[in-house]
Structure formats: structure tokens, C-alpha cells
Amino acid sequence: MLLREIELDLTYQKNNEAIQRLQDCKRLDYMEAVKQDYEVNWKEMRRKFQLMTHCMTSMIERIMKPIHTKDCWKILIECVDGCIDVGYRNLLGVHTIQIAFNKQQFFLVSNLEKKKMVINVVLEAIKRFSDIIDFEVANIREACIEIKRRDYTNEWFWKKSCTEKKKKAQVKIIHDVDDVKIYIVFSEDNNLIQEKLLLCAEPDERSYSLFLGEISWISPNEIVLISKSGDRYICNNGK
């Protein structure tokens, strides 16, 4: 089995005061009050956290060398503000571990500091994992070191360049904390002509990958990116 995913999750922590208020004011039973507390006070924050941390975890997945395992396809790191479980769980191939984490600080710091916090959490998790699992995690550590060397910038070129006589166009993707930006980079004789922002998407592969269908020239100065659903996004190099 191949390790394919690394994810950070903001594990739900009950707000007992809010739950009690829901029971008192709305006369809900305990389980229904807990469900409503999650929906109102946690669900949106959890999703926001997953998206914000994904720029670094997806970069690890993209650049790390393959890791073969017996039964693990995903590492899930539960970020907990308080006491943590010291062991780990294997849930149908998802190896889950808890790490102490200050969520209030995370949402207040700059995007660069958010990225640093994510990488530090991953490094802490694999340090603990290395003593209790049966596969090697050195490739994750090496990927984290490489991310630091690249100043936490998650950018790459999608597919090979598209050529029209001496001109070339290529899609560049920059995956940041808040969004994914898709650029068209124009060059001629290997010299950069122009780099233009084509569109922005949610920072999740399931969102931005929908735009990545085909790319082709439609005129000497225009390139079109055709999404998987057939939508066309045209970019002109301005010449």
C-alpha cells in the first residue's frame, strides 16, 4: 500500500456551556444539543482550518518520495487544544494521532506563520509515529525540510508547455493558505514574456483540479484553458 494523504483536522471539542444553554433554552436532549453545538460553533471553523492547512500538507504529498506501507494510506493528525491521547489509532488504513495545538493562535497569525505551524505539527507527529508504526517516515521529514528551503511556497507547473511556433504557454499553480491561483505563463525562445492570473479557486484539489482539463493556443496571442466540464478560460499575452 502507498501512503497517499496527510491531513490536519481540528477535532471537535464540546462547548459544555453552550450545550447546557441549548438544553435549558430550547429543551433539547443532550445528544441533540451536542449536534447543534457542533453545527453552529465548530463545523465551519473545522472546514476553514482544513482548507488553510491544506496548502502545506498537499505540498508534502506532492514532493515527498513514495512511502510503502502494510496497511496505511493516510495519516490524520488531530489538532487538540488541551489533553491528548498519547497513542495512535488505525481506522481502516487511516493512522490517526493527536497533537496539542493552539487553534486561537493559528487563526490570528500571518499566513506564513500558519504554514510554519502546520509543518511543525507534521514534524512533531511523525517524530512520535516513528517509534510506534512499522513503516519509515523519513521521506515526510525530508519533504518538510525541502518546504522550509523553498520558503513555504507551494507552486508548480501543470503539464508540459503548449507550443505555438516560437511561443510557449504553461499553466502555473500557486497553492496558498486562502486560495489557489492559476496563472498562464507566456515565453518565447525560453525568455519570459508575461505571466497572467487566469482564475482563483478554493484551496482544495477537488475544487481547482476541475479547471485543469486541456490547454491549447486559439490564436497567435491567445491561449485557452478548458475545464473538465468544458468551460473555456481565455488568456491573451497582450501582444
Side-chain angles (χ1 to χ4, degrees):
M1 186 176 287
L2 198 64
L3 178 66
R4 300 196 304 270
E5 293 184 29
I6 297 171
E7 182 182 358
L8 269 62
D9 185 25
L10 204 57
T11 305
Y12 172 54
Q13 294 174 270
K14 297 174 184 176
N15 184 331
N16 291 321
E17 291 183 3
I19 292 169
Q20 188 62 55
R21 284 197 300 271
L22 288 167
Q23 289 182 280
D24 294 341
C25 298
K26 295 190 175 183
R27 299 185 181 278
L28 300 177
D29 64 37
Y30 179 75
M31 292 307 298
E32 188 62 32
V34 169
K35 181 179 178 181
Q36 194 165 129
D37 173 56
Y38 173 80
E39 290 290 331
V40 174
N41 298 318
W42 199 271
K43 184 177 180 179
E44 182 178 349
M45 178 174 59
R46 182 186 189 186
R47 176 59 176 162
K48 186 177 181 181
F49 179 78
Q50 289 171 334
L51 290 174
M52 285 183 161
T53 57
H54 196 53
C55 68
M56 289 291 95
T57 56
S58 67
M59 188 175 183
I60 294 172
E61 295 164 1
R62 181 170 55 82
I63 69 175
M64 75 178 182
K65 295 177 182 178
I67 297 177
H68 296 277
T69 75
K70 180 181 178 181
D71 61 355
C72 176
W73 64 272
K74 178 176 180 176
I75 289 176
L76 178 64
I77 303 169
E78 296 182 336
C79 298
V80 179
D81 194 355
C83 296
I84 64 170
D85 293 334
V86 295
Y88 87 100
R89 293 165 288 155
N90 182 359
L91 307 174
L92 300 177
V94 179
H95 281 39
T96 304
I97 193 168
Q98 292 190 347
I99 296 294
F101 188 82
N102 188 330
K103 67 178 184 296
Q104 290 86 359
Q105 179 186 2
F106 177 83
F107 287 111
L108 289 174
V109 298
S110 68
N111 282 354
L112 177 58
E113 291 303 315
K114 285 183 174 67
K115 294 177 183 180
K116 291 179 180 180
M117 287 180 72
V118 172
I119 295 302
N120 287 338
V121 164
V122 173
L123 287 170
E124 183 179 352
I126 63 171
K127 182 179 179 181
R128 284 179 48 199
F129 259 137
S130 63
D131 294 329
I132 54 179
I133 56 177
D134 58 0
F135 59 88
E136 180 56 58
V137 293
N139 289 350
I140 301 175
R141 186 181 304 107
E142 291 301 316
C144 289
I145 292 170
E146 178 63 18
I147 287 171
K148 291 182 179 182
R149 190 187 69 79
R150 299 185 191 184
D151 295 324
Y152 302 90
T153 301
N154 186 7
E155 66 176 50
W156 72 99
F157 286 98
W158 173 72
K159 284 192 172 182
K160 295 181 179 180
S161 58
C162 184
T163 303
E164 170 70 16
K165 296 182 179 180
K166 293 183 178 181
K167 290 183 180 180
K168 293 182 180 180
Q170 195 166 9
V171 173
K172 183 169 85 169
I173 298 172
I174 299 181
H175 188 165
D176 215 329
V177 171
D178 298 317
D179 60 20
V180 166
K181 292 183 173 66
I182 298 178
Y183 292 84
I184 301 294
V185 178
F186 295 96
S187 61
E188 187 171 352
D189 294 327
N190 295 320
N191 295 313
L192 176 67
I193 298 175
Q194 206 168 29
E195 181 175 299
K196 281 194 171 181
L197 176 63
L198 185 61
L199 54 90
C200 294
E202 189 178 55
D204 188 319
E205 282 90 347
R206 289 170 293 185
S207 296
Y208 72 79
S209 65
L210 297 177
F211 296 103
L212 304 177
E214 296 293 336
I215 182 173
S216 62
W217 289 90
I218 56 174
S219 79
N221 297 313
E222 288 181 313
I223 201 84
V224 62
L225 176 66
I226 304 174
S227 74
K228 292 177 180 177
S229 62
D231 295 325
R232 294 163 62 89
Y233 300 88
I234 297 173
C235 189
N236 191 303
N237 71 357
K239 288 183 177 261

